[in-house]
Amino acid sequence: MRAFDYVRATNTQEAVQLLADDPAASCLAGGTTQLDLMKDGVLEPPRLIDITRLPLHGIERRGDRLHVGALASMEELAADATVAQRLPMVRESLLQGASVQLRNMATIGGNLLQRTRCRYFRDPTVAECNKRAPGSGCAAVQGVARMHAVLGVSERCIALHASDLAVAMVALDAVVNIQGVSTRRTVPLTEFYLTADESPERENVLEHAELITEVEIPLPPPTARSGYLKVRERASYEFALTSAAVLLVMDGGTIRQARIGLGGVGSKPWRAYEAEHVLTGAPATTATFQDAAGATMRDAWTVPGTAFKVPLARRTLVRQLQTVSGVQE
Ligand code: FAD
Ligand code: SF4
C-alpha cells in the first residue's frame, strides 16, 4: 500500500477546502470501500481527508421528509423508527447488505458512493479496464462477468453499481444535498448517477471538492406498501444478483401509484420507469406484473456471463410485486 498523508477535518468547509487544495486527495468515511481499494493498489491518493468527525451524523424527520446525515451508519438508519414504520424497503435493503460489523462502520454517503465490485477493476495487474485506465478496453466483456450489469452498459464497460440502499433510494425519489467550497446544491438521486455506457470513468456528477452532506427521503403516503427483495448466491454477506425495491399505492384491485428500483442489473441504481408506466392505473394481476417486468428488461445488453440476469430480474420483480400487492394470481 502506498504511503499517504492523513488529515482529520473538523468542519465541512475545512474538508471541502482541503479537497480543493489537492486534486489527488480522497475523503475517508467508514473506509470499508476506500481502504480496500487502497490496499489493493487500485486507488493511490497521496492524502486522505478524514470526514468522520464532521457534524453530519443525525437522522431527523421534518414534516414529510426524513433527513439523513451522510455520516449516519447503515445500522443507525436501519434502526430508525420512521424508517421502520414508513420506509420498510430502506430498512430491508440495509439489513440485507454486508454484515453487521460492516454496517456499523459504513456510512450512508459512502454506501451511495461505493465503487463497483468488478474483479478486473479491483485488480490493477489487469491492463484492460476503461474505468481505471480510460481507453484501455474492458476485460469483463470477454471474461468472468457474473456480477456485472445488463442495463446502461456497452462493450466499453459493464460494471454494476452494487449498492442495495441506492436502489431503494432512487425508487423513493430521494435527493442528496451537496456542499462545495462556495456552492451548495441538491441533486435527485435519479440524476446523480451516470451510466457506464455514457462514461465508464465517471460514475456520478459529484465534483472532486464536493461532499454529500445529507440525503433527504420524501415519505411515501401512509397507505403505501413497500419492500425490497434481494436474490443472491447465499443468504447473507453477499451482493445482489438481482433485486427489486417496490412501492405500491393500491385502490382496491387497481394500482394507483408504483415506484420501482432494480438492483444487480444496472450500471447505476436502476429506476424502472417503463414498469411503473405499465403498472400505473392497471389491475394488480400477475399478467400485469409480467408485462411490467418485460418492459423494464427489454433493452438489456448482455454478454454470455450476464444473460441469465434478464429472466432472473424479470422473475425477481414479478415476485416482489406479488408480495407487496398481496396478489398471487
Ligand atoms: P468509504 O469507504 O469511506 O468511502 C467510499 C467512497 O465514498 C470513497 O470514494 C470516499 O471518498 C467517498 N465518500 C464517502 N463519504 C462521502 C461523502 N459524504 N461525500 C463525498 N464522498 C464520500 N453494500 C451493499 O449495498 N450491499 C452489500 O451487500 C454489501 N456487501 C459488502 C460486503 C463487503 C465484504 C464489503 C467490504 C462491502 C459491502 N458493501 C455492500 C459495501 C458497503 O456498504 C460500502 O463499502 C460502504 O457503505 C461504504 O461506506 P464507507 O463509509 O465505508 O465509505
Ligand atoms: Fe473495467 Fe468496467 Fe470492464 Fe470492469 S466492466 S473491467 S470496471 S471497464
Side-chain angles (χ1 to χ4, degrees):
M1 186 174 182
R2 180 175 148 175
F4 58 90
D5 292 339
Y6 169 86
V7 187
R8 183 180 287 165
T10 53
N11 62 65
T12 309
Q13 190 60 38
E14 182 191 11
V16 290
Q17 190 60 58
L18 284 164
L19 286 168
D21 292 344
D22 186 344
S26 290
C27 75
L28 177 70
T32 61
T33 288
Q34 182 69 27
L35 293 180
D36 276 4
L37 291 170
M38 289 171 67
K39 286 180 198 161
D40 288 343
V42 179
L43 302 178
E44 298 190 316
R47 172 176 264 217
L48 272 189
I49 316 297
D50 183 343
I51 62 170
T52 54
R53 307 302 159 97
L54 306 188
L56 305 174
H57 286 267
I59 301 170
E60 191 186 345
R61 179 174 174 180
R62 287 182 225 148
D64 61 357
R65 296 178 87 77
L66 190 69
H67 293 250
V68 182
L71 292 173
S73 73
M74 290 171 70
E75 274 294 300
E76 285 166 345
L77 186 58
D80 182 80
T82 304
V83 170
Q85 286 163 12
R86 300 289 298 278
L87 299 165
M89 72 179 172
V90 169
R91 181 178 159 82
E92 291 164 17
S93 72
L94 287 163
L95 293 180
Q96 293 177 61
S99 63
V100 70
Q101 293 89 343
L102 281 160
R103 294 195 299 264
N104 274 303
M105 282 299 291
T107 64
I108 298 306
N111 185 293
L112 300 178
L113 291 167
Q114 64 178 273
R115 307 301 301 278
T116 182
R117 310 305 294 189
C118 172
R119 61 163 66 181
Y120 305 106
F121 171 75
R122 289 179 170 253
D123 181 353
T125 64
V126 174
E128 287 183 314
C129 176
N130 285 327
K131 194 179 280 299
R132 246 189 308 105
S136 60
C138 172
V141 167
Q142 304 287 339
V144 178
R146 192 166 171 77
M147 298 303 287
H148 289 71
V150 297
L151 294 171
V153 297
S154 71
E155 66 287 344
R156 294 172 66 208
C157 179
I158 57 172
L160 177 73
H161 196 286
S163 167
D164 292 296
L165 174 65
V167 173
M169 292 283 199
V170 295
L172 288 164
D173 283 324
V175 302
V176 281
N177 293 327
I178 293 172
Q179 183 172 333
V181 173
S182 54
T183 54
R184 283 174 198 266
R185 59 189 179 123
T186 297
V187 180
L189 268 182
T190 48
E191 294 167 25
F192 179 76
Y193 295 104
L194 304 173
T195 55
D197 53 346
E198 289 172 281
S199 63
E201 67 286 357
R202 187 158 187 214
E203 293 165 8
N204 55 59
V205 300
L206 199 69
E207 300 292 343
H208 168 70
E210 284 186 324
L211 289 180
I212 293 180
T213 55
E214 187 179 70
V215 185
E216 276 182 52
I217 314 172
L219 296 179
T223 53
R225 310 171 189 176
S226 77
Y228 185 75
L229 174 63
K230 178 170 178 176
V231 176
R232 46 191 162 166
E233 302 274 15
R234 56 184 179 191
S236 73
Y237 205 34
E238 184 56 281
F239 289 92
L241 288 172
T242 57
S243 70
V246 168
L247 181 146
L248 297 176
V249 178
M250 306 278 293
D251 180 3
T254 304
I255 299 164
R256 287 286 161 237
Q257 199 186 118
R259 308 259 203 80
I260 314 288
L262 295 179
V265 289
S267 60
K268 65 178 184 179
W270 204 260
R271 178 76 180 261
Y273 291 111
E274 300 87 349
E276 295 177 9
H277 183 71
V278 172
L279 292 165
T280 305
T285 62
T286 295
T288 306
F289 302 157
Q290 285 166 341
D291 286 349
T296 294
M297 299 309 295
R298 193 169 296 139
D299 294 332
W301 189 92
T302 62
V303 296
T306 58
F308 77 97
K309 287 202 163 187
V310 177
L312 184 61
R314 281 200 297 256
R315 286 200 294 272
T316 304
L317 178 53
V318 169
R319 186 169 132 199
Q320 188 60 355
L321 284 163
Q322 289 174 324
T323 302
V324 172
S325 68
V327 173
Q328 300 295 327
E329 296 171 1

